[in-house]
Amino acid sequence: MQVVKEYVQRWYESGLDPDEYICHQKQGNLVEIEEATTGKRQTVLTFCTNDVLGLVQDEAVRQAAVDAIFQYGTSNSSCSVLSGRIDLHRQLENEISEFKHLPHTQLFLNAWMAMQALMDAFCHLAIPVPGFQHTRETLILTDVLNHGCIVSAVVNAGTRSGKVFGHSPRVRVKAYRHCNVEDLARKLHRYARPDDRIMVVSDAVFSMDGDIAPLPDMLDVLQNYDGSVLLMDEAHASGALGATGRGIYEHFGILPQHAIERGIVPLIMTTFSKFAASAGAGISSHVAELIPLLNVSPTSIGTISLSPPLTAAALESIRQVRRRPELVKTLQDNTRYLRSRLLDQGFAAIGETNVVPVVLPPEIDPKSFGRHMIENHGLWVSPIWFIAKPRLRITVNALHTQEEMDRLVAAMVATRDLLYKPMISA
């Protein structure tokens, strides 16, 4: 343990440890937080929540969660294939399927488990079947900036989880340059073999850069590989992209059926922690046979099913989004407004979505910038310095007003003017 102690001490001395804040109460975008090391409390205006449509405290969503507790209890106390499946699961799966235009959906506790289940199901067919020998290798192509849940799953895709010493066909994983379709095409041409099962995996909206995957161009490339699979992780796209928040396909004016007609198998992962005021994830497909494989994968059968209140909250949230498309429009209007205001003030706001990364000059420490914003302006943004290029990560939601966004920009200008001491070359 000595090396761990020395490492953590060096970590703290380097200033890489994040500031910790504990939430005590929320009302809209106003949050009462406590600074963990000092115990100081203050109420701040948050620009770092992923509650993009403001449904976390929506009355109908909260009531749905409460009603589910009284009907089912707080937990299902089992995995779905034993005794943990409830009617709310079926309702939520059907709601997601309609929302995403793919007829079959399987639920998971979170995106990390969903991604690993997909690797088990697709690459290794989840469980051995007597008399059936699976011999085809899998080639996975992944964007270099994909979310950690994707990276973790593809790194572990070579061995079916839970069967470390079992034999299954080889899985080859190759990365392609970020949103670079030409590089994707080159890598497929270079590495794909005639009998390979091919899967391309990408975020729809990239969580640290706020940009959008070039879906139509990716489909153009994959139509040359009949039966190839394209998985889009729509964690930051659901509720944010498209006129009604259905995600990246709607954003580009197409349906998953467009991919199917070109010989491509579209998969969509929907997560509930951003737009759906809950937790959990679902994988949707038009291939019915994929669902039982996902259901018996180790990250489904080896753990508890999604709890009743979380399921009910996600279900009611999606219903609210479908009934109230004006929420999506407000979010998109707010996104355009804040981005334009930041650009007008000379900030390097990259991307194009409600995830607004602001890349700071190298002389400014994002951690100091974020701390100053909280302590002196009562504004909460996310400083990023240890998992991506140093930046502030601002998230806009449908509850923000123009006055609040103007307040944010003014505070950022004041903080930049205070902290920015450009190096002068000799």
Side-chain angles (χ1 to χ4, degrees), residues 336-368:
R336 286 188 290 269
Y337 182 80
L338 180 58
R339 283 184 169 277
S340 68
R341 293 284 287 111
L342 288 168
L343 292 172
D344 288 345
Q345 293 299 324
F347 286 101
I350 63 176
E352 54 186 307
T353 64
N354 74 295
V355 177
V356 187
V358 176
V359 179
L360 298 170
E363 295 86 359
I364 297 181
D365 176 11
K367 184 176 176 180
S368 297

PDB file of all heavy atoms in Angstrom, residues 336-368:
ATOM      1  N   ARG A 336     -27.833  27.945 -28.878  1.00  0.00           N
ATOM      2  CA  ARG A 336     -27.363  28.914 -29.872  1.00  0.00           C
ATOM      3  C   ARG A 336     -27.049  30.265 -29.226  1.00  0.00           C
ATOM      4  O   ARG A 336     -26.047  30.914 -29.558  1.00  0.00           O
ATOM      5  CB  ARG A 336     -28.405  29.084 -30.978  1.00  0.00           C
ATOM      6  CG  ARG A 336     -28.478  27.910 -31.946  1.00  0.00           C
ATOM      7  CD  ARG A 336     -29.375  28.218 -33.120  1.00  0.00           C
ATOM      8  NE  ARG A 336     -30.785  28.276 -32.716  1.00  0.00           N
ATOM      9  CZ  ARG A 336     -31.596  27.226 -32.734  1.00  0.00           C
ATOM     10  NH1 ARG A 336     -31.140  26.043 -33.116  1.00  0.00           N
ATOM     11  NH2 ARG A 336     -32.856  27.339 -32.381  1.00  0.00           N
ATOM     12  N   TYR A 337     -27.889  30.685 -28.283  1.00  0.00           N
ATOM     13  CA  TYR A 337     -27.691  31.982 -27.651  1.00  0.00           C
ATOM     14  C   TYR A 337     -26.389  32.015 -26.852  1.00  0.00           C
ATOM     15  O   TYR A 337     -25.571  32.943 -27.010  1.00  0.00           O
ATOM     16  CB  TYR A 337     -28.874  32.318 -26.734  1.00  0.00           C
ATOM     17  CG  TYR A 337     -28.741  33.676 -26.077  1.00  0.00           C
ATOM     18  CD1 TYR A 337     -29.071  34.830 -26.774  1.00  0.00           C
ATOM     19  CD2 TYR A 337     -28.290  33.791 -24.767  1.00  0.00           C
ATOM     20  CE1 TYR A 337     -28.943  36.084 -26.178  1.00  0.00           C
ATOM     21  CE2 TYR A 337     -28.156  35.044 -24.161  1.00  0.00           C
ATOM     22  CZ  TYR A 337     -28.489  36.178 -24.877  1.00  0.00           C
ATOM     23  OH  TYR A 337     -28.351  37.418 -24.294  1.00  0.00           O
ATOM     24  N   LEU A 338     -26.181  31.021 -25.990  1.00  0.00           N
ATOM     25  CA  LEU A 338     -24.982  31.033 -25.153  1.00  0.00           C
ATOM     26  C   LEU A 338     -23.721  30.906 -25.995  1.00  0.00           C
ATOM     27  O   LEU A 338     -22.730  31.613 -25.751  1.00  0.00           O
ATOM     28  CB  LEU A 338     -25.042  29.915 -24.110  1.00  0.00           C
ATOM     29  CG  LEU A 338     -23.822  29.856 -23.177  1.00  0.00           C
ATOM     30  CD1 LEU A 338     -23.640  31.168 -22.429  1.00  0.00           C
ATOM     31  CD2 LEU A 338     -23.941  28.697 -22.201  1.00  0.00           C
ATOM     32  N   ARG A 339     -23.750  30.035 -26.980  1.00  0.00           N
ATOM     33  CA  ARG A 339     -22.573  29.882 -27.836  1.00  0.00           C
ATOM     34  C   ARG A 339     -22.234  31.200 -28.536  1.00  0.00           C
ATOM     35  O   ARG A 339     -21.057  31.582 -28.623  1.00  0.00           O
ATOM     36  CB  ARG A 339     -22.797  28.770 -28.854  1.00  0.00           C
ATOM     37  CG  ARG A 339     -22.643  27.366 -28.267  1.00  0.00           C
ATOM     38  CD  ARG A 339     -22.768  26.282 -29.320  1.00  0.00           C
ATOM     39  NE  ARG A 339     -22.352  24.984 -28.762  1.00  0.00           N
ATOM     40  CZ  ARG A 339     -21.107  24.581 -28.677  1.00  0.00           C
ATOM     41  NH1 ARG A 339     -20.137  25.369 -29.122  1.00  0.00           N
ATOM     42  NH2 ARG A 339     -20.812  23.399 -28.149  1.00  0.00           N
ATOM     43  N   SER A 340     -23.239  31.897 -29.050  1.00  0.00           N
ATOM     44  CA  SER A 340     -22.976  33.156 -29.746  1.00  0.00           C
ATOM     45  C   SER A 340     -22.419  34.205 -28.785  1.00  0.00           C
ATOM     46  O   SER A 340     -21.507  34.963 -29.138  1.00  0.00           O
ATOM     47  CB  SER A 340     -24.253  33.672 -30.418  1.00  0.00           C
ATOM     48  OG  SER A 340     -25.217  34.067 -29.454  1.00  0.00           O
ATOM     49  N   ARG A 341     -22.927  34.248 -27.563  1.00  0.00           N
ATOM     50  CA  ARG A 341     -22.444  35.224 -26.580  1.00  0.00           C
ATOM     51  C   ARG A 341     -20.994  34.938 -26.187  1.00  0.00           C
ATOM     52  O   ARG A 341     -20.186  35.870 -26.035  1.00  0.00           O
ATOM     53  CB  ARG A 341     -23.342  35.208 -25.341  1.00  0.00           C
ATOM     54  CG  ARG A 341     -24.751  35.712 -25.569  1.00  0.00           C
ATOM     55  CD  ARG A 341     -24.779  37.243 -25.660  1.00  0.00           C
ATOM     56  NE  ARG A 341     -24.574  37.831 -24.332  1.00  0.00           N
ATOM     57  CZ  ARG A 341     -23.493  38.505 -23.950  1.00  0.00           C
ATOM     58  NH1 ARG A 341     -22.492  38.691 -24.781  1.00  0.00           N
ATOM     59  NH2 ARG A 341     -23.395  38.995 -22.733  1.00  0.00           N
ATOM     60  N   LEU A 342     -20.660  33.665 -26.019  1.00  0.00           N
ATOM     61  CA  LEU A 342     -19.286  33.303 -25.674  1.00  0.00           C
ATOM     62  C   LEU A 342     -18.325  33.645 -26.804  1.00  0.00           C
ATOM     63  O   LEU A 342     -17.228  34.189 -26.575  1.00  0.00           O
ATOM     64  CB  LEU A 342     -19.201  31.814 -25.341  1.00  0.00           C
ATOM     65  CG  LEU A 342     -19.824  31.382 -24.009  1.00  0.00           C
ATOM     66  CD1 LEU A 342     -19.946  29.868 -23.934  1.00  0.00           C
ATOM     67  CD2 LEU A 342     -19.002  31.905 -22.826  1.00  0.00           C
ATOM     68  N   LEU A 343     -18.728  33.341 -28.035  1.00  0.00           N
ATOM     69  CA  LEU A 343     -17.876  33.647 -29.190  1.00  0.00           C
ATOM     70  C   LEU A 343     -17.695  35.154 -29.337  1.00  0.00           C
ATOM     71  O   LEU A 343     -16.604  35.628 -29.662  1.00  0.00           O
ATOM     72  CB  LEU A 343     -18.478  33.041 -30.453  1.00  0.00           C
ATOM     73  CG  LEU A 343     -18.469  31.503 -30.516  1.00  0.00           C
ATOM     74  CD1 LEU A 343     -19.254  31.008 -31.723  1.00  0.00           C
ATOM     75  CD2 LEU A 343     -17.042  30.959 -30.566  1.00  0.00           C
ATOM     76  N   ASP A 344     -18.756  35.926 -29.089  1.00  0.00           N
ATOM     77  CA  ASP A 344     -18.658  37.385 -29.164  1.00  0.00           C
ATOM     78  C   ASP A 344     -17.631  37.935 -28.186  1.00  0.00           C
ATOM     79  O   ASP A 344     -17.003  38.975 -28.437  1.00  0.00           O
ATOM     80  CB  ASP A 344     -20.026  38.025 -28.868  1.00  0.00           C
ATOM     81  CG  ASP A 344     -21.029  37.837 -30.002  1.00  0.00           C
ATOM     82  OD1 ASP A 344     -20.597  37.478 -31.110  1.00  0.00           O
ATOM     83  OD2 ASP A 344     -22.239  38.029 -29.753  1.00  0.00           O
ATOM     84  N   GLN A 345     -17.453  37.248 -27.064  1.00  0.00           N
ATOM     85  CA  GLN A 345     -16.513  37.696 -26.044  1.00  0.00           C
ATOM     86  C   GLN A 345     -15.130  37.055 -26.188  1.00  0.00           C
ATOM     87  O   GLN A 345     -14.289  37.165 -25.293  1.00  0.00           O
ATOM     88  CB  GLN A 345     -17.076  37.402 -24.649  1.00  0.00           C
ATOM     89  CG  GLN A 345     -18.313  38.214 -24.302  1.00  0.00           C
ATOM     90  CD  GLN A 345     -18.049  39.707 -24.307  1.00  0.00           C
ATOM     91  OE1 GLN A 345     -16.967  40.165 -23.919  1.00  0.00           O
ATOM     92  NE2 GLN A 345     -19.029  40.480 -24.760  1.00  0.00           N
ATOM     93  N   GLY A 346     -14.904  36.373 -27.305  1.00  0.00           N
ATOM     94  CA  GLY A 346     -13.580  35.844 -27.602  1.00  0.00           C
ATOM     95  C   GLY A 346     -13.235  34.528 -26.960  1.00  0.00           C
ATOM     96  O   GLY A 346     -12.066  34.120 -26.948  1.00  0.00           O
ATOM     97  N   PHE A 347     -14.224  33.816 -26.428  1.00  0.00           N
ATOM     98  CA  PHE A 347     -13.957  32.503 -25.846  1.00  0.00           C
ATOM     99  C   PHE A 347     -13.936  31.434 -26.934  1.00  0.00           C
ATOM    100  O   PHE A 347     -14.730  31.485 -27.886  1.00  0.00           O
ATOM    101  CB  PHE A 347     -15.009  32.151 -24.799  1.00  0.00           C
ATOM    102  CG  PHE A 347     -14.869  32.901 -23.509  1.00  0.00           C
ATOM    103  CD1 PHE A 347     -15.681  33.991 -23.228  1.00  0.00           C
ATOM    104  CD2 PHE A 347     -13.903  32.526 -22.583  1.00  0.00           C
ATOM    105  CE1 PHE A 347     -15.552  34.691 -22.038  1.00  0.00           C
ATOM    106  CE2 PHE A 347     -13.759  33.220 -21.385  1.00  0.00           C
ATOM    107  CZ  PHE A 347     -14.580  34.310 -21.123  1.00  0.00           C
ATOM    108  N   ALA A 348     -13.051  30.461 -26.773  1.00  0.00           N
ATOM    109  CA  ALA A 348     -12.942  29.350 -27.723  1.00  0.00           C
ATOM    110  C   ALA A 348     -13.941  28.275 -27.339  1.00  0.00           C
ATOM    111  O   ALA A 348     -13.610  27.268 -26.702  1.00  0.00           O
ATOM    112  CB  ALA A 348     -11.529  28.788 -27.722  1.00  0.00           C
ATOM    113  N   ALA A 349     -15.213  28.497 -27.698  1.00  0.00           N
ATOM    114  CA  ALA A 349     -16.280  27.534 -27.422  1.00  0.00           C
ATOM    115  C   ALA A 349     -16.367  26.563 -28.587  1.00  0.00           C
ATOM    116  O   ALA A 349     -16.832  26.919 -29.672  1.00  0.00           O
ATOM    117  CB  ALA A 349     -17.605  28.263 -27.221  1.00  0.00           C
ATOM    118  N   ILE A 350     -15.914  25.330 -28.380  1.00  0.00           N
ATOM    119  CA  ILE A 350     -15.858  24.368 -29.467  1.00  0.00           C
ATOM    120  C   ILE A 350     -17.137  23.532 -29.501  1.00  0.00           C
ATOM    121  O   ILE A 350     -17.962  23.579 -28.602  1.00  0.00           O
ATOM    122  CB  ILE A 350     -14.608  23.463 -29.365  1.00  0.00           C
ATOM    123  CG1 ILE A 350     -14.654  22.629 -28.074  1.00  0.00           C
ATOM    124  CG2 ILE A 350     -13.348  24.308 -29.391  1.00  0.00           C
ATOM    125  CD1 ILE A 350     -13.507  21.630 -27.950  1.00  0.00           C
ATOM    126  N   GLY A 351     -17.293  22.743 -30.562  1.00  0.00           N
ATOM    127  CA  GLY A 351     -18.467  21.893 -30.702  1.00  0.00           C
ATOM    128  C   GLY A 351     -19.663  22.660 -31.230  1.00  0.00           C
ATOM    129  O   GLY A 351     -19.551  23.796 -31.709  1.00  0.00           O
ATOM    130  N   GLU A 352     -20.860  22.026 -31.122  1.00  0.00           N
ATOM    131  CA  GLU A 352     -22.064  22.654 -31.671  1.00  0.00           C
ATOM    132  C   GLU A 352     -23.328  22.294 -30.907  1.00  0.00           C
ATOM    133  O   GLU A 352     -24.427  22.614 -31.351  1.00  0.00           O
ATOM    134  CB  GLU A 352     -22.229  22.255 -33.143  1.00  0.00           C
ATOM    135  CG  GLU A 352     -22.229  20.753 -33.386  1.00  0.00           C
ATOM    136  CD  GLU A 352     -22.240  20.387 -34.869  1.00  0.00           C
ATOM    137  OE1 GLU A 352     -23.110  20.886 -35.593  1.00  0.00           O
ATOM    138  OE2 GLU A 352     -21.363  19.597 -35.284  1.00  0.00           O
ATOM    139  N   THR A 353     -23.212  21.664 -29.763  1.00  0.00           N
ATOM    140  CA  THR A 353     -24.374  21.180 -29.030  1.00  0.00           C
ATOM    141  C   THR A 353     -24.506  21.897 -27.689  1.00  0.00           C
ATOM    142  O   THR A 353     -23.775  22.845 -27.402  1.00  0.00           O
ATOM    143  CB  THR A 353     -24.269  19.667 -28.793  1.00  0.00           C
ATOM    144  OG1 THR A 353     -23.135  19.414 -27.948  1.00  0.00           O
ATOM    145  CG2 THR A 353     -24.101  18.912 -30.104  1.00  0.00           C
ATOM    146  N   ASN A 354     -25.452  21.434 -26.852  1.00  0.00           N
ATOM    147  CA  ASN A 354     -25.618  22.047 -25.537  1.00  0.00           C
ATOM    148  C   ASN A 354     -24.473  21.711 -24.588  1.00  0.00           C
ATOM    149  O   ASN A 354     -24.368  22.291 -23.511  1.00  0.00           O
ATOM    150  CB  ASN A 354     -26.945  21.615 -24.907  1.00  0.00           C
ATOM    151  CG  ASN A 354     -26.904  20.180 -24.423  1.00  0.00           C
ATOM    152  OD1 ASN A 354     -26.781  19.256 -25.229  1.00  0.00           O
ATOM    153  ND2 ASN A 354     -27.005  19.974 -23.128  1.00  0.00           N
ATOM    154  N   VAL A 355     -23.614  20.767 -24.961  1.00  0.00           N
ATOM    155  CA  VAL A 355     -22.345  20.571 -24.264  1.00  0.00           C
ATOM    156  C   VAL A 355     -21.376  21.599 -24.849  1.00  0.00           C
ATOM    157  O   VAL A 355     -21.016  21.520 -26.020  1.00  0.00           O
ATOM    158  CB  VAL A 355     -21.798  19.151 -24.468  1.00  0.00           C
ATOM    159  CG1 VAL A 355     -20.441  19.003 -23.785  1.00  0.00           C
ATOM    160  CG2 VAL A 355     -22.779  18.116 -23.931  1.00  0.00           C
ATOM    161  N   VAL A 356     -20.992  22.576 -24.028  1.00  0.00           N
ATOM    162  CA  VAL A 356     -20.200  23.708 -24.529  1.00  0.00           C
ATOM    163  C   VAL A 356     -18.822  23.703 -23.868  1.00  0.00           C
ATOM    164  O   VAL A 356     -18.643  24.264 -22.783  1.00  0.00           O
ATOM    165  CB  VAL A 356     -20.920  25.044 -24.254  1.00  0.00           C
ATOM    166  CG1 VAL A 356     -20.174  26.193 -24.933  1.00  0.00           C
ATOM    167  CG2 VAL A 356     -22.369  24.996 -24.727  1.00  0.00           C
ATOM    168  N   PRO A 357     -17.825  23.067 -24.482  1.00  0.00           N
ATOM    169  CA  PRO A 357     -16.474  23.110 -23.926  1.00  0.00           C
ATOM    170  C   PRO A 357     -15.815  24.438 -24.305  1.00  0.00           C
ATOM    171  O   PRO A 357     -15.842  24.857 -25.461  1.00  0.00           O
ATOM    172  CB  PRO A 357     -15.770  21.932 -24.609  1.00  0.00           C
ATOM    173  CG  PRO A 357     -16.845  21.193 -25.377  1.00  0.00           C
ATOM    174  CD  PRO A 357     -17.913  22.191 -25.654  1.00  0.00           C
ATOM    175  N   VAL A 358     -15.228  25.096 -23.328  1.00  0.00           N
ATOM    176  CA  VAL A 358     -14.502  26.340 -23.561  1.00  0.00           C
ATOM    177  C   VAL A 358     -13.034  26.072 -23.268  1.00  0.00           C
ATOM    178  O   VAL A 358     -12.654  25.840 -22.111  1.00  0.00           O
ATOM    179  CB  VAL A 358     -15.035  27.482 -22.675  1.00  0.00           C
ATOM    180  CG1 VAL A 358     -14.195  28.744 -22.871  1.00  0.00           C
ATOM    181  CG2 VAL A 358     -16.506  27.758 -22.995  1.00  0.00           C
ATOM    182  N   VAL A 359     -12.223  26.058 -24.321  1.00  0.00           N
ATOM    183  CA  VAL A 359     -10.798  25.796 -24.168  1.00  0.00           C
ATOM    184  C   VAL A 359     -10.117  27.092 -23.736  1.00  0.00           C
ATOM    185  O   VAL A 359     -10.228  28.121 -24.406  1.00  0.00           O
ATOM    186  CB  VAL A 359     -10.189  25.267 -25.482  1.00  0.00           C
ATOM    187  CG1 VAL A 359      -8.690  25.027 -25.310  1.00  0.00           C
ATOM    188  CG2 VAL A 359     -10.887  23.981 -25.917  1.00  0.00           C
ATOM    189  N   LEU A 360      -9.440  27.044 -22.605  1.00  0.00           N
ATOM    190  CA  LEU A 360      -8.811  28.224 -22.023  1.00  0.00           C
ATOM    191  C   LEU A 360      -7.363  28.363 -22.483  1.00  0.00           C
ATOM    192  O   LEU A 360      -6.728  27.382 -22.883  1.00  0.00           O
ATOM    193  CB  LEU A 360      -8.848  28.129 -20.497  1.00  0.00           C
ATOM    194  CG  LEU A 360     -10.237  28.088 -19.855  1.00  0.00           C
ATOM    195  CD1 LEU A 360     -10.108  27.749 -18.371  1.00  0.00           C
ATOM    196  CD2 LEU A 360     -10.956  29.411 -20.038  1.00  0.00           C
ATOM    197  N   PRO A 361      -6.823  29.569 -22.431  1.00  0.00           N
ATOM    198  CA  PRO A 361      -5.386  29.736 -22.699  1.00  0.00           C
ATOM    199  C   PRO A 361      -4.570  28.878 -21.739  1.00  0.00           C
ATOM    200  O   PRO A 361      -4.985  28.658 -20.587  1.00  0.00           O
ATOM    201  CB  PRO A 361      -5.157  31.228 -22.439  1.00  0.00           C
ATOM    202  CG  PRO A 361      -6.493  31.866 -22.598  1.00  0.00           C
ATOM    203  CD  PRO A 361      -7.493  30.843 -22.133  1.00  0.00           C
ATOM    204  N   PRO A 362      -3.429  28.384 -22.168  1.00  0.00           N
ATOM    205  CA  PRO A 362      -2.642  27.473 -21.313  1.00  0.00           C
ATOM    206  C   PRO A 362      -2.197  28.105 -20.002  1.00  0.00           C
ATOM    207  O   PRO A 362      -1.892  27.388 -19.047  1.00  0.00           O
ATOM    208  CB  PRO A 362      -1.441  27.105 -22.198  1.00  0.00           C
ATOM    209  CG  PRO A 362      -1.394  28.164 -23.257  1.00  0.00           C
ATOM    210  CD  PRO A 362      -2.794  28.604 -23.477  1.00  0.00           C
ATOM    211  N   GLU A 363      -2.177  29.445 -19.935  1.00  0.00           N
ATOM    212  CA  GLU A 363      -1.754  30.102 -18.706  1.00  0.00           C
ATOM    213  C   GLU A 363      -2.826  30.060 -17.619  1.00  0.00           C
ATOM    214  O   GLU A 363      -2.547  30.390 -16.460  1.00  0.00           O
ATOM    215  CB  GLU A 363      -1.394  31.571 -18.994  1.00  0.00           C
ATOM    216  CG  GLU A 363      -0.184  31.745 -19.906  1.00  0.00           C
ATOM    217  CD  GLU A 363      -0.564  31.711 -21.379  1.00  0.00           C
ATOM    218  OE1 GLU A 363      -1.768  31.530 -21.683  1.00  0.00           O
ATOM    219  OE2 GLU A 363       0.341  31.870 -22.216  1.00  0.00           O
ATOM    220  N   ILE A 364      -4.053  29.693 -17.979  1.00  0.00           N
ATOM    221  CA  ILE A 364      -5.141  29.676 -17.006  1.00  0.00           C
ATOM    222  C   ILE A 364      -5.400  28.244 -16.540  1.00  0.00           C
ATOM    223  O   ILE A 364      -5.602  27.344 -17.350  1.00  0.00           O
ATOM    224  CB  ILE A 364      -6.435  30.264 -17.601  1.00  0.00           C
ATOM    225  CG1 ILE A 364      -6.228  31.734 -17.978  1.00  0.00           C
ATOM    226  CG2 ILE A 364      -7.578  30.150 -16.600  1.00  0.00           C
ATOM    227  CD1 ILE A 364      -7.468  32.396 -18.556  1.00  0.00           C
ATOM    228  N   ASP A 365      -5.393  28.055 -15.244  1.00  0.00           N
ATOM    229  CA  ASP A 365      -5.712  26.762 -14.645  1.00  0.00           C
ATOM    230  C   ASP A 365      -7.240  26.625 -14.558  1.00  0.00           C
ATOM    231  O   ASP A 365      -7.887  27.410 -13.856  1.00  0.00           O
ATOM    232  CB  ASP A 365      -5.092  26.693 -13.251  1.00  0.00           C
ATOM    233  CG  ASP A 365      -5.460  25.415 -12.498  1.00  0.00           C
ATOM    234  OD1 ASP A 365      -6.020  24.501 -13.130  1.00  0.00           O
ATOM    235  OD2 ASP A 365      -5.198  25.361 -11.285  1.00  0.00           O
ATOM    236  N   PRO A 366      -7.842  25.661 -15.272  1.00  0.00           N
ATOM    237  CA  PRO A 366      -9.308  25.517 -15.234  1.00  0.00           C
ATOM    238  C   PRO A 366      -9.853  25.322 -13.822  1.00  0.00           C
ATOM    239  O   PRO A 366     -10.942  25.795 -13.498  1.00  0.00           O
ATOM    240  CB  PRO A 366      -9.564  24.277 -16.102  1.00  0.00           C
ATOM    241  CG  PRO A 366      -8.369  24.167 -16.971  1.00  0.00           C
ATOM    242  CD  PRO A 366      -7.220  24.681 -16.158  1.00  0.00           C
ATOM    243  N   LYS A 367      -9.078  24.633 -12.973  1.00  0.00           N
ATOM    244  CA  LYS A 367      -9.522  24.401 -11.599  1.00  0.00           C
ATOM    245  C   LYS A 367      -9.646  25.729 -10.844  1.00  0.00           C
ATOM    246  O   LYS A 367     -10.639  25.974 -10.146  1.00  0.00           O
ATOM    247  CB  LYS A 367      -8.542  23.462 -10.903  1.00  0.00           C
ATOM    248  CG  LYS A 367      -8.933  23.047  -9.499  1.00  0.00           C
ATOM    249  CD  LYS A 367      -7.910  22.027  -8.978  1.00  0.00           C
ATOM    250  CE  LYS A 367      -8.179  21.649  -7.534  1.00  0.00           C
ATOM    251  NZ  LYS A 367      -7.192  20.656  -7.037  1.00  0.00           N
ATOM    252  N   SER A 368      -8.663  26.613 -10.998  1.00  0.00           N
ATOM    253  CA  SER A 368      -8.718  27.930 -10.359  1.00  0.00           C
ATOM    254  C   SER A 368      -9.844  28.760 -10.938  1.00  0.00           C
ATOM    255  O   SER A 368     -10.535  29.495 -10.216  1.00  0.00           O
ATOM    256  CB  SER A 368      -7.383  28.658 -10.535  1.00  0.00           C
ATOM    257  OG  SER A 368      -6.334  27.956  -9.900  1.00  0.00           O
TER     258      SER A 368
END
